[in-house]
Amino acid sequence: MTRSIPRGRTVGAALLAAALAATAVACSAESPSTEAGGTYTVWDPYPQFTEDSDWVGLLKDCGTSAGVTVERTGYDTTDLTNKALLAAQQGNSPDVLIIDNPVISTLAEAGVLTTTAETNLDVSTMEPNLLGAGQSEGKTYGVPIGANTLALYYNKDLLADAGVDVATVTDWPSLTAALVKVKAAGKKGITFSAIGTEEGSFQFLPWFWGAGAELTALDAPPAVAALTLWTDWLAAGHAPNSVINNTQTTSWQEFASGEYAFSENGTWQLANAAKLDFEYGIIPIPARAGGTAPAPTGGEFISIPVQPDTGRYATSQQLVTCLTSGDNLLTTDTTLSYIAPVAAVQEQQVAANAALKVWVDAVKAAKGRTGDDLGTRYPRISEPLWTAVQSALSGAQTPQEALSAAQRTAASATS
């Protein structure tokens, strides 16, 4: 049965059109039961987890605690966004939606999501910088389930052979000096992903923000300095030309070969790191003048979509509260290789695994891509940014020329 969304919560036509263009499959979610108890639907971006997984077991346990049956469906991240928009337009939204944090502003603007104030979700213990990724115009649209971000993995043996003490790598000059030593020892320096997609922007942002640049001024001197750092590394042979086409996966594969001293990558590679044939370590990405650079946050938010029957919100709130309680966060974030969004749980993670300390520090310094009230403007800035990175690294333009063009494009797209 098709249901309309309450007045004031209609799906934006442009956003819906984009979703329809991206997928030819219409959403066919069944209308949830409104009887006491009944079935509550949960959509998540974890299709890799099967019915017998700990994650699905947790969902079902939370349903049992709330006195309902949970019906869960896992989708690919991009597919999930499209289906969420279509379901909202049809009035068949799930009761609980777990969604990649940059998508929150898009769904909020489209009127798909409730605010935490509307559904009485408590976010007071959440780290403010992580919560910011789910906020738009002063309102919060969900609870972070966890976060991942970027840091630098390094090859201990290779650095030792090159005479590099990793403790001295604290800013851009000292990192570049380490790369010079590595090259002099006949080895390769650093690999990362600069591909012309969101992955490229994601990996460039720690250097961009670490220089003091802002996404509203792509051609400012700090931004130019960040892109110049990368182009200089390629010109000097400290980074391979393959970074232009590298995804984060192929970049990791280069590092795993044992030929590179450093690799910019994320917490999601920890399981693969344990399989390396050499000893590795991890340090935060250094800011230009020292300290930890702000890296972008990855990870999902648990949100409650708008429902015609607002009486369902109380049970949905119970489900979200259960999923984000301290004990459950610890289990879930371990499973997902996430850092918890709550300081007390972060401390438990480090107590259980001291190697996570560097990731906790990186997450504490991280920031949301849609933060600073950028919201749905972020994608229209990110694409010109990754295009500029591609243009400069390929030698088609200087960093200044590439970023000036990017700023003109972004300003036009967001005005």
Side-chain angles (χ1 to χ4, degrees), residues 117-389:
E118 290 174 306
T119 53
N120 297 313
L121 284 171
D122 182 8
V123 294
S124 61
T125 62
M126 301 293 159
E127 292 291 281
N129 66 318
L130 301 183
L131 195 61
Q135 295 175 324
S136 179
E137 297 183 353
K139 297 179 181 179
T140 305
Y141 289 90
V143 184
I145 196 171
N148 54 33
T149 193
L150 297 164
L152 293 181
Y153 289 82
Y154 64 90
N155 184 321
K156 289 185 176 182
D157 296 336
L158 197 155
L159 288 184
D161 291 344
V164 174
D165 178 1
V166 76
T168 65
V169 178
T170 57
D171 53 20
W172 289 5
S174 57
L175 176 55
T176 299
L179 298 178
V180 170
K181 288 185 177 181
V182 168
K183 183 180 180 183
K187 301 297 183 180
K188 299 178 181 179
I190 186 168
T191 180
F192 47 87
S193 169
I195 193 170
T197 68
E198 179 59 25
E199 282 189 80
S201 289
F202 188 79
Q203 290 240 319
F204 183 59
L205 281 174
W207 312 95
F208 181 89
W209 283 332
E214 297 181 359
L215 287 168
T216 51
L218 298 181
D219 58 348
V224 175
L227 189 48
T228 299
L229 178 73
W230 273 19
T231 56
D232 284 353
W233 282 350
L234 260 69
H238 298 322
N241 289 329
S242 59
V243 300
I244 296 174
N245 296 313
N246 269 349
T247 64
Q248 293 179 108
T249 298
T250 56
S251 172
W252 178 261
Q253 291 167 348
E254 288 180 335
F255 179 67
S257 71
E259 298 179 358
Y260 287 84
F262 295 95
S263 170
E264 179 184 354
N265 230 295
T267 49
W268 52 89
Q269 298 292 3
L270 284 172
N272 289 326
K275 302 174 186 176
L276 293 172
D277 294 330
F278 53 86
E279 284 194 68
Y280 76 93
I282 305 168
I283 59 172
I285 297 173
R288 183 182 187 181
T292 299
T297 57
E300 288 78 41
F301 270 62
I302 308 182
S303 298
I304 298 177
V306 172
Q307 299 289 344
D309 179 3
T310 59
R312 298 183 69 83
Y313 293 155
T315 298
S316 296
Q317 188 264 2
Q318 291 181 57
L319 293 174
V320 177
T321 299
C322 176
L323 290 170
T324 55
S325 68
D327 290 343
N328 288 338
L329 271 179
L330 181 62
T331 300
T332 298
D333 289 335
T334 299
T335 299
L336 299 176
S337 292
Y338 281 166
I339 298 302
V342 177
V345 183
Q346 291 174 356
E347 292 173 3
Q348 289 179 273
Q349 289 181 297
V350 173
N353 181 0
L356 292 179
K357 177 65 166 60
V358 65
W359 292 111
V360 168
D361 291 343
V363 163
K364 285 183 180 296
K367 59 188 293 185
R369 285 163 279 175
T370 58
D372 298 328
D373 286 327
L374 288 178
T376 56
R377 290 183 293 158
Y378 171 73
R380 299 193 290 272
I381 296 171
S382 178
E383 184 169 356
L385 180 60
W386 81 56
T387 300
V389 171

Side-chain angles (χ1 to χ4, degrees), residues 377-412:
R377 290 183 293 158
Y378 171 73
R380 299 193 290 272
I381 296 171
S382 178
E383 184 169 356
L385 180 60
W386 81 56
T387 300
V389 171
Q390 287 265 299
S391 183
L393 292 184
S394 68
Q397 293 179 297
T398 67
Q400 181 68 70
E401 291 169 342
L403 288 169
S404 293
Q407 178 59 27
R408 290 193 295 272
T409 300
S412 176

